[in-house]
Amino acid sequence: MAASKPSTSTDPNTNIPDYEYTDVNSNIFHIGSFREEWLNRLKPSNYSYEQEHEDTFDANFAQEMGIGADTMADLKSVCSLDSLRCHPVDQPPDTDFVPPDPTLRTLIQRKKKQDHRASLKICKNRHDLYADELERLTVGRKPEEEADMVPEGEVVLTINVYYPATFEKFTYVRPHVTLLMTGSHSLAELRDAICCVSDLQVCGEFSNTPDMAPDFISKDHYKSAFFYFEGVFYNDMRYPECQDISITTIEWAKTRNFPAYSQAKMEDTRFVDLKLKVGFPYLYCHQGDCEHLVIITDIRLTHENDCLDKKLYPLLTHKHRVTTQKCAVCHVYIGRWFTTDDQFAPSDPCLFCDKCFRMLHYDAEGNKLGEFLAYPYVDRGAFN
Amino acid sequence: MSVKGFKEMDFYRKQVRSDCVELLSRFQKTDSVRFEVFSNIWREMKFSHIFYGTLNREKRAFSRLILDTAYSFFLPPFSFQIRVGGLYLLYCLYQCQTASPPEQIRLALKDWLDLSKFEKDAVDAQHLDAVYILRQLMFQKAFNFTAMPTVLVYKKKRKVEKSAPCEEFMERATRPQELINIELLEELSNIHELYGNLKSSVSLTSEQADPSFNLVRKDLIPQLRSTVMDFYKWQQRKDGTDEDEDSDEGTSSKQECSKRAELIASIKSKAFGEAAEAPKSRRHRQVEVNQTNYEAGPSHSSGYSRRNKPSLKTRTNENLYISGDLWKEVTTATHISRLTTLDFVRKEKPKEYKKFKW
């Protein structure tokens, strides 16, 4: 196949992102060129991780603006943090509560919510407590060795990978995983970082041999996958078993006068080589038909408050929690088997944990009782 | 950031924006660009308190929201004073936020040019406090250098709530002043003088004052200057009588609207007064004129009144009567766990959690 890569446009304006639709998505730009544009405009001290000394800054500022020491001292005192304090020095306020008699509209609204929360009996909410636990673990982390430091001026992408849509019922919640990746990562590394329970499925029926360990999971059988960004399909061709599963779509589009699509390898493509839109939905397809929306929500230069340990990337900062399915008998353990055509089961199909499954369907010697079909089940919340 | 965080912050957005507008309005009235004046207003309003009361994860989400809101005031098309106020607001919010580590100000690549121009203007005008604060923010690494001003998740809103930007914050049109400035007038004056000299020298040579040489007006430059001054004065005068003009326009447009509405209403009443004859295939569904509605008045007349049939579900619920608790249990879905419960215990009433209405 032709490994055509998107070439950098000679028009410099195409590398300065702007809104295509306001607050929806940006126009197409090249990520590597975007980074170069920023680095050309900034001084190295702007994106450095080192903090300059205050006195050096003051001296440089005074010299550049041509002012004396007295003027500089006055300026510093006027712009100091003390001028922003809204409370007496000896009375530090409690920042966890809205102060009494607020005048700002935001505080008036927040006070209503605070009073409502106080009226509830529930004092702790686990969802609120652990909502940002992944982010808290890694913010501002530094590596132990200097060689593992993310280089200064590196590009960081925030990528939302959405769970496949189910249309059984409408919901405003869009379950997704949020990953941070640097521009030097390849698409194959993004593919490996995406967790999906489709990869963990086990093929085959095991009612006669429940103790036999499965040889393969779906990921081992079906290694092929692709990303789709701006008219280019990036296929995973790292293993000999991998196929080009995007050719089906390309051939289909060709017969219907769609614009021509091109192909590339995801292991050879880095994020800085891509041309795409921020905030626009793209596609990740694996296991043949398991489709995930991929939205790059943010692209920026690294900051000293980011996680600077290169080994921790791709970095997971948000993960949606899926409700687990419990066993139909004990309601305690997560379902590991589901059966069909089962005379013992209250429903068809029915979920069982391993313990209840064996006690209900097999005798003490392990012989099968009755007629049923049993398949291994992987809970949808396996990656919780 | 979780979905819930996003959703909650949407409700704060309007309030946050109005608070920022209030602060910048007060700053605008002072006609000053001094940080001392701004910090006075900040202390007066106790604006630091805006971060109090946020819990845990909300701290970061709220910081993100209010910094994005303040950032929009720092960019054109707002006037220079408002932009200075926006810069001061960003500085104060960044310093006073309770999120740890602090949330950065997002600076988009497309806005860098505006920032550079702003800094150059401030340096040229010797606004030391504005330049100092901008440099301080850079020095303290308060900026994230991003592609877009906000995080984008392809969120298309059904109701497009386009809050019109405050017109008082906009700079009024100054194109004539910018174009016809002192330097241009000076240059034009020089060229005019040179042209006059050249013309007189040529005229002397030919010893004849040809009227065809008079191609330009003698008093061009003074007239141009006085025209620009007149425009400026007219602009000043127009602002003062803005309300009167608005009310006059409103009155005249109201009269026009009401006249047109009356005409349309009369046409409609005529049309609805006569029942349309149904085609042959639909002769069994003749349209009947509702006489009762016709009496109410021409503007409320609606000739067509077709009864809406209730849905099958509604009709079934109305006609079918099931007594006692049996009906309740039939309508509610059960859980699979109840199928294997030994004791047949009736389901408890589901707990009703009262939700907070924003």
Side-chain angles (χ1 to χ4, degrees), chain A residues 163-379:
Chain A
Y163 291 19
T166 59
F167 301 104
E168 294 154 14
K169 60 177 181 178
F170 173 77
T171 173
Y172 281 101
V173 178
R174 299 159 79 190
H176 67 280
V177 166
T178 303
L179 294 154
L180 292 186
M181 305 200 73
T182 64
S184 53
H185 279 109
S186 68
L187 290 180
E189 283 162 307
L190 172 61
R191 192 242 157 138
D192 294 338
I194 295 174
C195 313
C196 182
V197 291
S198 300
D199 288 331
L200 305 180
Q201 298 303 314
V202 177
C203 313
E205 197 268 328
F206 289 88
S207 62
N208 295 304
T209 55
D211 293 322
M212 184 183 293
D215 295 328
F216 299 100
I217 56 173
S218 288
K219 194 167 187 177
D220 302 324
H221 269 303
Y222 312 112
K223 291 186 162 68
S224 307
F226 68 80
F227 284 102
Y228 172 79
F229 292 112
E230 283 306 318
V232 187
F233 289 88
Y234 300 92
N235 287 283
D236 188 355
M237 307 301 283
R238 289 178 288 173
Y239 309 101
E241 305 97 322
C242 291
Q243 298 177 44
D244 174 12
I245 57 178
S246 68
I247 196 67
T248 309
T249 308
I250 292 170
E251 294 293 338
W252 176 88
K254 215 174 280 183
T255 62
R256 283 165 174 78
N257 291 328
F258 273 75
Y261 296 106
S262 51
Q263 288 167 302
K265 293 181 180 178
M266 65 163 69
E267 60 268 20
D268 294 341
T269 309
R270 298 182 308 155
F271 278 99
V272 282
D273 304 325
L274 291 179
K275 293 181 75 173
L276 45 75
K277 306 174 178 177
V278 173
F280 197 76
Y282 296 111
L283 178 67
Y284 166 60
C285 181
H286 68 126
Q287 296 299 312
D289 64 352
C290 188
E291 299 179 336
H292 300 256
L293 277 192
V294 177
I295 299 184
I296 286 139
T297 63
D298 188 22
I299 301 179
R300 58 185 171 81
L301 301 188
T302 49
H303 190 267
E304 60 173 355
N305 285 347
D306 291 327
C307 174
L308 299 180
D309 194 339
K310 202 190 299 181
K311 296 200 304 295
L312 296 181
Y313 283 85
L315 193 61
L316 195 66
T317 58
H318 171 74
K319 186 166 63 177
H320 183 77
R321 313 294 193 187
V322 187
T323 306
T324 57
Q325 301 272 284
K326 301 293 169 57
C327 171
V329 177
C330 63
H331 321 307
V332 172
Y333 297 111
I334 297 171
R336 301 279 276 103
W337 295 92
F338 80 95
T339 62
T340 56
D341 298 331
D342 190 354
Q343 61 195 94
F344 305 118
S347 69
D348 186 283
C350 191
L351 270 185
F352 298 97
C353 67
D354 192 62
K355 190 184 178 98
C356 296
F357 173 71
R358 292 171 189 280
M359 285 175 65
L360 186 63
H361 295 89
Y362 300 89
D363 60 13
E365 281 80 44
N367 299 314
K368 183 179 174 183
L369 302 172
E371 291 298 322
F372 59 90
L373 299 172
Y375 305 90
Y377 177 78
V378 182
D379 188 59

